[in-house]
Amino acid sequence: MGIQYCEVGMLPVIHSTPESIHPSLWRASQLARFSTRCVDTGHPVLSAQLPGGGWPTSSLVELHLRQSGTGELRLLQPVLAAAGKRRVMMIQPPHVPNSIALAAMGLDPSQVVWIQPDRTADALWAAEQVLRNGGCYALLFWQSHIRNESLRRLHLAAADGESLFFLFRPLAAAQDASPAPLRLAVHPALGGVEVELLKRRGPQRETTLFLPLSPSFVHRHASVDRPLPAPAPARSLRTQLVE
């Protein structure tokens, strides 16, 4: 902050940055700073376009997909591999997690817990409890239909903990309002994905980002004349959490 005196009456004119007034303020031409810790995405091109230089913890991050399995887990692979021994939770994944594929991503299958509730209300309750408990490194939640009230509850629950929280939603839901400070659309592309920045605390970006991704485990190891072994599921909890 600098102080300069004007000529009329020698009144002080205070020059300050938006951040010095309040951490939630930023110039429209600049990326904001998240008040929480951010984790490097593992993709330098993407990290450079995100406030804080990475995925924010204690915050709702929305990833919008045309359909599941189009590269979203490979996009998150670097940050998930950094979990160490900490727990990674999955709620309502579209497919049973494969332990061999998890290991190929750098995750110990024993640290991955997946929950497949029968009702949406149970899935939302489980997600909220996981976030408020703060006992996991990251929560991945797939949900097709979710009301704005439920989004606000999840956003507040995420702020109570320190976990990474990724909510996978249909691409059509990108048109709906959301309290999430960071929203991305992930489109499949040859050799990787195209990432569209739908919402961030900073200037709008009209063009997409191309992120090259390594081939998936299936593409690298599947043989056209030999069937894949039956998938081995990670540990599962259906309708309740255990310590």
Side-chain angles (χ1 to χ4, degrees), residues 27 53 67 71 85 98 110 114 128 151 157 178 181 242:
R27 289 191 176 93
Q67 65 181 41
K85 299 297 183 180
N98 184 293
S110 65
W114 63 280
E128 189 173 341
L151 284 174
S178 170
V242 297

Side-chain angles (χ1 to χ4, degrees), residues 171-241:
L171 189 60
Q175 305 298 322
D176 302 332
S178 170
L182 182 61
R183 308 177 75 189
L184 309 178
V186 182
H187 307 276
L190 184 62
V193 293
E194 295 278 353
V195 175
E196 182 181 0
L197 297 170
L198 302 175
K199 180 183 177 181
R200 64 175 175 174
R201 290 173 175 171
Q204 291 187 344
R205 181 184 173 92
E206 302 297 334
T207 58
T208 61
L209 299 172
F210 173 74
L211 303 181
L213 301 177
S214 60
S216 68
F217 174 82
V218 173
H219 288 135
R220 286 188 284 115
H221 296 278
S223 172
V224 295
D225 59 353
R226 184 177 59 186
L228 286 174
R235 293 187 296 140
S236 170
L237 299 176
R238 291 287 175 177
T239 57
Q240 61 181 353
L241 301 177

Side-chain angles (χ1 to χ4, degrees), residues 90-114:
M90 297 183 179
I91 298 181
Q92 289 190 320
H95 307 288
V96 175
N98 184 293
S99 60
I100 301 176
L102 291 174
M105 291 176 58
L107 288 171
D108 184 342
S110 65
Q111 75 186 100
V112 178
V113 177
W114 63 280

